[in-house]
Amino acid sequence: MLPFIVHRRLEAGDRLPSERELAERFGVGRGAVREALAVLEALRIVERRPNSGIYLCAVARQGSIEAMVLQAELGVPLAEAEVREVVELRRIMEMQAVRLAAERRHEDDIARIDAILAEGEAAIAAGKNLADNDAAFHLAMVEATGNHVFLRVVNAFYLMSRNRRRAYFADGTRAPLSQAQHVAMRDAVAAGDPDRAEAAMGGHLRGVEGYWLELLKRRPREE
């Protein structure tokens, strides 16, 4: 359904075809269409208006983070503005997370991070893509804050960026530096030094952000 909306270039306030028309277009029963629309309605992507029809919501203002995750899972690319905003929000969240982790971490948090780092070293040595390990490390840092709602929010961003991270680490050249920066963050958090931890995270994110923003400049623009 989402690829159809993108392909048709529907905008906020546009009316979608009826359930019957959608069922015919996709070659499925109306029950399946109704279930799909219920999911999109729950994610605030569409809204039903009594005696009127189904309309696309203003997703930028009303849509949920889960909607962006679903979009990424289905291969629907984020708009350029959305990528920039995700990059900005990630910095805000992770810079605060690493400070809190340095202030609140427990021994089991450091043990969890050390295990992830060891797995990362093994993955690099084996020439494997570091993307999943990278996500595990950053989520372990957020988990060390002790705030599990924070963890759930950040996890959504890592689900959303899974394919981009796999592309980032695909050739293996960025993994060793990323791993070294992770170790520096781990050491600062273990030492209980929030300023050093924040500085280490800031340097790490600058490199990643520079890569993605440079890619955006190269993205072909639609006519």
Side-chain angles (χ1 to χ4, degrees):
M1 193 78 70
L2 277 179
F4 167 76
I5 291 172
V6 173
H7 178 71
R8 290 284 296 270
R9 298 189 179 185
L10 298 177
E11 298 181 353
D14 285 348
R15 187 177 184 275
L16 272 66
S18 68
E19 287 183 4
R20 178 180 57 78
E21 292 170 319
L22 289 170
E24 291 175 356
R25 177 179 295 275
F26 296 121
V28 298
R30 290 184 63 175
V33 169
R34 196 171 295 116
E35 289 178 8
L37 289 171
V39 171
L40 296 183
E41 190 172 16
L43 295 176
R44 298 191 294 279
I45 295 174
V46 302
E47 64 175 341
R48 296 175 186 269
R49 298 179 187 173
N51 304 316
S52 179
I54 307 159
Y55 292 82
L56 188 64
C57 294
V59 178
R61 294 195 305 273
Q62 298 172 252
S64 64
I65 288 294
E66 291 82 1
M68 298 180 75
V69 173
L70 177 61
Q71 195 173 313
E73 291 288 334
L74 294 175
V76 178
L78 296 177
E80 178 176 332
E82 289 176 321
V83 174
R84 292 182 183 279
E85 289 168 0
V86 166
V87 166
E88 180 179 62
L89 186 54
R90 180 192 176 189
R91 168 171 285 274
I92 292 169
M93 291 193 301
E94 294 216 45
M95 295 288 274
Q96 182 61 40
V98 79
R99 289 193 66 88
L100 290 175
E103 294 168 359
R104 300 176 178 178
R105 80 279 179 267
H106 297 288
E107 289 184 7
D108 58 340
D109 294 313
I110 302 304
R112 184 183 308 110
I113 291 168
D114 285 344
I116 292 169
L117 289 172
E119 291 171 1
E121 288 291 347
I124 292 171
K128 296 180 180 178
N129 192 301
L130 195 67
D132 291 342
N133 185 269
D134 176 72
F137 173 83
H138 284 273
L139 291 172
M141 277 290 175
V142 179
E143 189 170 1
T145 69
N147 186 324
H148 290 91
V149 174
F150 197 175
L151 178 62
R152 290 163 67 181
V153 172
V154 175
N155 185 51
F157 282 86
Y158 276 92
L159 290 172
M160 191 191 313
S161 64
R162 180 161 46 197
N163 291 334
R164 294 200 303 275
R165 277 183 290 104
R166 293 199 70 80
Y168 179 79
F169 287 112
D171 64 6
T173 60
R174 298 183 182 88
L177 175 59
S178 182
Q179 178 76 358
Q181 291 171 333
H182 287 175
V183 171
M185 282 184 266
R186 176 267 178 213
D187 290 346
V189 167
D193 189 334
D195 291 336
R196 181 155 62 99
E198 182 180 15
M201 178 66 82
H204 178 64
L205 292 180
R206 273 193 297 276
V208 177
E209 290 166 358
Y211 170 81
W212 292 117
L213 295 177
E214 182 61 31
L215 274 188
L216 280 180
K217 294 178 183 177
R218 302 177 196 167
R219 179 188 284 184
R221 296 185 182 275
E222 296 182 353
E223 298 296 335

PDB file of all heavy atoms in Angstrom, residues 81-97:
ATOM      1  N   ALA A  81      14.633  15.891   3.250  1.00  0.00           N
ATOM      2  CA  ALA A  81      14.425  16.627   4.502  1.00  0.00           C
ATOM      3  C   ALA A  81      14.307  15.664   5.668  1.00  0.00           C
ATOM      4  O   ALA A  81      14.807  15.940   6.767  1.00  0.00           O
ATOM      5  CB  ALA A  81      13.176  17.499   4.401  1.00  0.00           C
ATOM      6  N   GLU A  82      13.652  14.516   5.452  1.00  0.00           N
ATOM      7  CA  GLU A  82      13.494  13.536   6.524  1.00  0.00           C
ATOM      8  C   GLU A  82      14.835  12.954   6.932  1.00  0.00           C
ATOM      9  O   GLU A  82      15.096  12.758   8.128  1.00  0.00           O
ATOM     10  CB  GLU A  82      12.549  12.418   6.079  1.00  0.00           C
ATOM     11  CG  GLU A  82      11.096  12.840   5.970  1.00  0.00           C
ATOM     12  CD  GLU A  82      10.212  11.741   5.431  1.00  0.00           C
ATOM     13  OE1 GLU A  82      10.643  11.011   4.514  1.00  0.00           O
ATOM     14  OE2 GLU A  82       9.078  11.600   5.925  1.00  0.00           O
ATOM     15  N   VAL A  83      15.701  12.667   5.963  1.00  0.00           N
ATOM     16  CA  VAL A  83      17.030  12.123   6.286  1.00  0.00           C
ATOM     17  C   VAL A  83      17.800  13.126   7.133  1.00  0.00           C
ATOM     18  O   VAL A  83      18.408  12.771   8.141  1.00  0.00           O
ATOM     19  CB  VAL A  83      17.808  11.783   5.011  1.00  0.00           C
ATOM     20  CG1 VAL A  83      19.237  11.352   5.354  1.00  0.00           C
ATOM     21  CG2 VAL A  83      17.117  10.650   4.241  1.00  0.00           C
ATOM     22  N   ARG A  84      17.771  14.395   6.739  1.00  0.00           N
ATOM     23  CA  ARG A  84      18.487  15.423   7.494  1.00  0.00           C
ATOM     24  C   ARG A  84      17.939  15.533   8.920  1.00  0.00           C
ATOM     25  O   ARG A  84      18.696  15.687   9.876  1.00  0.00           O
ATOM     26  CB  ARG A  84      18.379  16.781   6.780  1.00  0.00           C
ATOM     27  CG  ARG A  84      19.131  16.833   5.462  1.00  0.00           C
ATOM     28  CD  ARG A  84      19.045  18.212   4.819  1.00  0.00           C
ATOM     29  NE  ARG A  84      19.704  18.238   3.535  1.00  0.00           N
ATOM     30  CZ  ARG A  84      21.012  18.368   3.352  1.00  0.00           C
ATOM     31  NH1 ARG A  84      21.792  18.507   4.413  1.00  0.00           N
ATOM     32  NH2 ARG A  84      21.537  18.363   2.153  1.00  0.00           N
ATOM     33  N   GLU A  85      16.635  15.441   9.055  1.00  0.00           N
ATOM     34  CA  GLU A  85      16.031  15.563  10.377  1.00  0.00           C
ATOM     35  C   GLU A  85      16.323  14.340  11.236  1.00  0.00           C
ATOM     36  O   GLU A  85      16.527  14.461  12.452  1.00  0.00           O
ATOM     37  CB  GLU A  85      14.525  15.784  10.222  1.00  0.00           C
ATOM     38  CG  GLU A  85      14.207  17.175   9.679  1.00  0.00           C
ATOM     39  CD  GLU A  85      12.767  17.334   9.231  1.00  0.00           C
ATOM     40  OE1 GLU A  85      11.997  16.348   9.342  1.00  0.00           O
ATOM     41  OE2 GLU A  85      12.410  18.426   8.757  1.00  0.00           O
ATOM     42  N   VAL A  86      16.355  13.158  10.630  1.00  0.00           N
ATOM     43  CA  VAL A  86      16.704  11.942  11.371  1.00  0.00           C
ATOM     44  C   VAL A  86      18.139  12.027  11.870  1.00  0.00           C
ATOM     45  O   VAL A  86      18.444  11.681  13.019  1.00  0.00           O
ATOM     46  CB  VAL A  86      16.507  10.691  10.484  1.00  0.00           C
ATOM     47  CG1 VAL A  86      17.184   9.468  11.105  1.00  0.00           C
ATOM     48  CG2 VAL A  86      15.027  10.402  10.288  1.00  0.00           C
ATOM     49  N   VAL A  87      19.055  12.502  11.007  1.00  0.00           N
ATOM     50  CA  VAL A  87      20.455  12.663  11.395  1.00  0.00           C
ATOM     51  C   VAL A  87      20.566  13.624  12.578  1.00  0.00           C
ATOM     52  O   VAL A  87      21.289  13.379  13.546  1.00  0.00           O
ATOM     53  CB  VAL A  87      21.286  13.164  10.196  1.00  0.00           C
ATOM     54  CG1 VAL A  87      22.661  13.661  10.641  1.00  0.00           C
ATOM     55  CG2 VAL A  87      21.452  12.041   9.159  1.00  0.00           C
ATOM     56  N   GLU A  88      19.835  14.736  12.503  1.00  0.00           N
ATOM     57  CA  GLU A  88      19.872  15.722  13.581  1.00  0.00           C
ATOM     58  C   GLU A  88      19.322  15.149  14.882  1.00  0.00           C
ATOM     59  O   GLU A  88      19.921  15.333  15.952  1.00  0.00           O
ATOM     60  CB  GLU A  88      19.066  16.949  13.169  1.00  0.00           C
ATOM     61  CG  GLU A  88      19.037  18.042  14.224  1.00  0.00           C
ATOM     62  CD  GLU A  88      18.245  19.251  13.776  1.00  0.00           C
ATOM     63  OE1 GLU A  88      17.021  19.098  13.525  1.00  0.00           O
ATOM     64  OE2 GLU A  88      18.833  20.342  13.669  1.00  0.00           O
ATOM     65  N   LEU A  89      18.197  14.446  14.789  1.00  0.00           N
ATOM     66  CA  LEU A  89      17.582  13.903  16.004  1.00  0.00           C
ATOM     67  C   LEU A  89      18.437  12.803  16.608  1.00  0.00           C
ATOM     68  O   LEU A  89      18.536  12.687  17.839  1.00  0.00           O
ATOM     69  CB  LEU A  89      16.182  13.377  15.697  1.00  0.00           C
ATOM     70  CG  LEU A  89      15.371  12.910  16.910  1.00  0.00           C
ATOM     71  CD1 LEU A  89      15.289  14.008  17.966  1.00  0.00           C
ATOM     72  CD2 LEU A  89      13.980  12.475  16.487  1.00  0.00           C
ATOM     73  N   ARG A  90      19.072  11.994  15.759  1.00  0.00           N
ATOM     74  CA  ARG A  90      19.954  10.956  16.286  1.00  0.00           C
ATOM     75  C   ARG A  90      21.070  11.583  17.119  1.00  0.00           C
ATOM     76  O   ARG A  90      21.396  11.099  18.196  1.00  0.00           O
ATOM     77  CB  ARG A  90      20.556  10.142  15.139  1.00  0.00           C
ATOM     78  CG  ARG A  90      21.490   9.054  15.656  1.00  0.00           C
ATOM     79  CD  ARG A  90      22.335   8.416  14.586  1.00  0.00           C
ATOM     80  NE  ARG A  90      23.254   7.455  15.190  1.00  0.00           N
ATOM     81  CZ  ARG A  90      24.231   6.869  14.532  1.00  0.00           C
ATOM     82  NH1 ARG A  90      24.445   7.121  13.244  1.00  0.00           N
ATOM     83  NH2 ARG A  90      25.031   6.017  15.153  1.00  0.00           N
ATOM     84  N   ARG A  91      21.651  12.678  16.625  1.00  0.00           N
ATOM     85  CA  ARG A  91      22.725  13.345  17.379  1.00  0.00           C
ATOM     86  C   ARG A  91      22.207  13.820  18.741  1.00  0.00           C
ATOM     87  O   ARG A  91      22.854  13.610  19.769  1.00  0.00           O
ATOM     88  CB  ARG A  91      23.279  14.528  16.578  1.00  0.00           C
ATOM     89  CG  ARG A  91      24.190  15.459  17.384  1.00  0.00           C
ATOM     90  CD  ARG A  91      24.868  16.476  16.498  1.00  0.00           C
ATOM     91  NE  ARG A  91      25.931  15.847  15.740  1.00  0.00           N
ATOM     92  CZ  ARG A  91      27.177  15.685  16.197  1.00  0.00           C
ATOM     93  NH1 ARG A  91      27.492  16.101  17.423  1.00  0.00           N
ATOM     94  NH2 ARG A  91      28.090  15.124  15.468  1.00  0.00           N
ATOM     95  N   ILE A  92      21.056  14.454  18.750  1.00  0.00           N
ATOM     96  CA  ILE A  92      20.489  14.956  20.006  1.00  0.00           C
ATOM     97  C   ILE A  92      20.325  13.813  21.006  1.00  0.00           C
ATOM     98  O   ILE A  92      20.704  13.921  22.176  1.00  0.00           O
ATOM     99  CB  ILE A  92      19.136  15.647  19.745  1.00  0.00           C
ATOM    100  CG1 ILE A  92      19.338  16.935  18.945  1.00  0.00           C
ATOM    101  CG2 ILE A  92      18.417  15.950  21.065  1.00  0.00           C
ATOM    102  CD1 ILE A  92      18.050  17.536  18.409  1.00  0.00           C
ATOM    103  N   MET A  93      19.754  12.701  20.545  1.00  0.00           N
ATOM    104  CA  MET A  93      19.457  11.594  21.449  1.00  0.00           C
ATOM    105  C   MET A  93      20.719  10.883  21.919  1.00  0.00           C
ATOM    106  O   MET A  93      20.874  10.592  23.109  1.00  0.00           O
ATOM    107  CB  MET A  93      18.520  10.601  20.762  1.00  0.00           C
ATOM    108  CG  MET A  93      17.125  11.140  20.527  1.00  0.00           C
ATOM    109  SD  MET A  93      15.940   9.849  20.051  1.00  0.00           S
ATOM    110  CE  MET A  93      16.716   9.222  18.569  1.00  0.00           C
ATOM    111  N   GLU A  94      21.621  10.584  20.998  1.00  0.00           N
ATOM    112  CA  GLU A  94      22.773   9.769  21.384  1.00  0.00           C
ATOM    113  C   GLU A  94      23.814  10.551  22.179  1.00  0.00           C
ATOM    114  O   GLU A  94      24.513   9.978  23.017  1.00  0.00           O
ATOM    115  CB  GLU A  94      23.387   9.119  20.149  1.00  0.00           C
ATOM    116  CG  GLU A  94      22.453   8.114  19.503  1.00  0.00           C
ATOM    117  CD  GLU A  94      23.164   6.913  18.935  1.00  0.00           C
ATOM    118  OE1 GLU A  94      24.054   6.353  19.619  1.00  0.00           O
ATOM    119  OE2 GLU A  94      22.835   6.547  17.796  1.00  0.00           O
ATOM    120  N   MET A  95      23.911  11.848  21.943  1.00  0.00           N
ATOM    121  CA  MET A  95      24.828  12.649  22.758  1.00  0.00           C
ATOM    122  C   MET A  95      24.349  12.679  24.210  1.00  0.00           C
ATOM    123  O   MET A  95      25.137  12.594  25.148  1.00  0.00           O
ATOM    124  CB  MET A  95      24.932  14.068  22.191  1.00  0.00           C
ATOM    125  CG  MET A  95      25.556  14.138  20.810  1.00  0.00           C
ATOM    126  SD  MET A  95      27.328  13.811  20.781  1.00  0.00           S
ATOM    127  CE  MET A  95      27.953  15.435  21.138  1.00  0.00           C
ATOM    128  N   GLN A  96      23.044  12.794  24.392  1.00  0.00           N
ATOM    129  CA  GLN A  96      22.505  12.770  25.752  1.00  0.00           C
ATOM    130  C   GLN A  96      22.601  11.369  26.338  1.00  0.00           C
ATOM    131  O   GLN A  96      22.906  11.194  27.529  1.00  0.00           O
ATOM    132  CB  GLN A  96      21.052  13.237  25.751  1.00  0.00           C
ATOM    133  CG  GLN A  96      20.421  13.302  27.122  1.00  0.00           C
ATOM    134  CD  GLN A  96      21.127  14.263  28.061  1.00  0.00           C
ATOM    135  OE1 GLN A  96      21.543  15.346  27.648  1.00  0.00           O
ATOM    136  NE2 GLN A  96      21.290  13.883  29.316  1.00  0.00           N
ATOM    137  N   ALA A  97      22.358  10.362  25.513  1.00  0.00           N
ATOM    138  CA  ALA A  97      22.385   8.981  25.999  1.00  0.00           C
ATOM    139  C   ALA A  97      23.750   8.610  26.554  1.00  0.00           C
ATOM    140  O   ALA A  97      23.856   7.977  27.615  1.00  0.00           O
ATOM    141  CB  ALA A  97      22.006   8.019  24.871  1.00  0.00           C
TER     142      ALA A  97
END
